[in-house]
Amino acid sequence: MRDPEHSNIASALGVAFIAALLLACRPAVAHIVDGSATGGFVGGFAHPLFGLDHVVAMVAVGLWGAFLGPPAIWLLPITFPMVMAIGGAIAILGVPVPGVEIGIALSAIVLGGMIALAASPPLVIAALIVGAFAIFHGHAHGAELPPGTDAVAFSVGFVLATGLLHLAGVALGLLTRWPAGRTGVRVAGIGIALVGAVFLSKAI
Amino acid sequence: MSGLLQAFVDGLINPFTTPAHLLTLLALALIMASQPQRLAVLFVFALALAAGFLAIVLAVETTPARTVLLAVAAALGAMVAAAWAPKLLAVLFAAIAGAALALDSPPQAVTLAEAYATLVGTAIGACVMLIAVATIPGYANAEWQRLGERILGSWIAASAILVLAVQLR
């Protein structure tokens, strides 16, 4: 059995090491960098953070996962980025997906609604719902990949920011351990659904 | 700093600073950590790396190494996310990753000696990173730490899939 304190220190060092590696990332010399703020890792990291519709939906994925408990708490944040990347790839390859903006707005409404109603569908259904909406989010991001940007650094930043938004949602969702927190999270679900409704009215 | 030393340091930091290499090595290290025989994976990777460098020395022209590297990163990331890592696949991907990483690291040196110094630096940097990162999960025994590894794997796969699409566009 390992010493828990030693294990915690080692884990913290491990996380710090990986974070340092990711932060040390710089664009490969062979790539073209446009030199603007949207280029490379910083541009990719900032990209998901500048769209309220994206932000609330990402947080909602984590919140809903936390609400559903294990294994959804980790399965949904694992499913979303991978399916989102497929959606992004579809956009990059020039394949159109109809109603992307409507799909993104609907994702906030549906996911927010699920949280507000404390809905607990089977895990497969929850993963399918999240995965379906991930296609729309990924397509929107992929279509907006700035030309000339270092694609690797941009994608790493973009996926990292999305994942951290999920984790923020999971962290907030842990409040559901307490009755008052559970109510608060459900109210947050209503707020997310309302934001989605506003974006849906603009998209239609 | 002398040209030779500078070339060596450039090679040493190359796996840490080239995002495609970093993604692949992180994913391979996480897979390696899940294997009972980690040294076998490391050995195959190092051997393939050496073979790739030999190909560079023999003046192999442009290869699709970057694309292959990203495909391997996507596959390895998905395997980490799924917590599924058969030994045969782990060894196979270690071999492909080693060769592709080497072929994607042609030295930009002026002299032959500097070119060799860069290649040696890259080989040491890649292996050190692989060993260092693969050691971490051994200390991460808590459930949330295991889940963190799987989430990291999904992020690696997602990033690699996106970049692959850009390369294939």
Side-chain angles (χ1 to χ4, degrees), chain B residues 5-80:
Chain B
L5 187 59
Q6 180 64 55
F8 175 76
V9 171
D10 284 348
L12 195 68
I13 63 171
N14 174 57
F16 297 86
T17 55
T18 307
H21 297 186
L22 185 60
L23 283 178
T24 310
L25 287 172
L26 276 177
L28 183 61
L30 291 174
I31 287 292
M32 191 171 124
S34 70
Q35 299 297 310
Q37 293 173 313
R38 296 178 190 182
L39 281 179
V41 177
L42 180 66
F43 179 73
V44 169
F45 173 80
L47 208 62
L49 198 66
F53 284 143
L54 186 65
I56 287 182
V57 171
L58 296 174
V60 167
E61 295 295 321
T62 311
T63 63
R66 177 65 59 91
T67 307
V68 172
L69 209 52
L70 288 165
V72 169
L76 288 171
M79 284 166 64
V80 172

Side-chain angles (χ1 to χ4, degrees), chain A residues 10-202:
Chain A
S11 306
L13 284 174
V15 170
F17 178 66
I18 290 174
L21 286 178
L22 289 169
L23 290 173
C25 240
R26 69 175 183 194
V29 179
H31 285 234
I32 303 162
V33 178
D34 64 3
S36 73
T38 54
F41 179 81
V42 175
F45 191 84
H47 200 254
L49 305 177
F50 284 111
L52 184 62
D53 49 348
H54 286 293
V55 171
V56 294
M58 298 303 108
V59 173
V61 170
L63 266 180
W64 196 28
F67 214 97
L68 293 172
I73 194 169
W74 57 264
L75 188 69
L76 298 188
I78 284 177
T79 303
F80 195 96
M82 295 212 286
V83 182
M84 182 187 71
I86 293 169
I90 289 172
I92 291 165
L93 295 172
V95 180
V97 169
V100 170
E101 292 305 322
I102 292 173
I104 291 170
L106 277 176
S107 71
I109 294 173
V110 172
L111 294 172
M114 292 289 180
I115 296 164
L117 298 170
S120 298
L123 185 60
V124 177
I125 302 293
L128 280 176
I129 291 172
V130 165
F133 287 129
I135 293 281
F136 293 111
H137 285 271
H139 196 280
H141 288 306
E144 291 163 9
L145 182 75
T149 307
D150 183 293
V152 186
F154 185 92
S155 299
V156 171
F158 154 57
V159 170
L160 195 62
T162 301
L164 290 176
L165 284 172
H166 291 156
L167 293 186
V170 169
L172 279 173
L174 295 178
L175 292 171
T176 54
R177 290 177 180 184
W178 297 276
R182 197 172 167 83
T183 307
V185 168
R186 292 182 71 173
V187 170
I190 295 171
I192 289 168
L194 286 176
V195 171
V198 171
F199 277 95
L200 183 63
S201 68
K202 288 180 184 174

Side-chain angles (χ1 to χ4, degrees), chain B residues 81-107:
Chain B
W84 178 74
K87 184 185 171 186
L88 192 66
L89 267 185
V91 170
L92 178 69
F93 281 131
I96 299 172
L101 195 143
L103 291 169
D104 196 43
S105 309

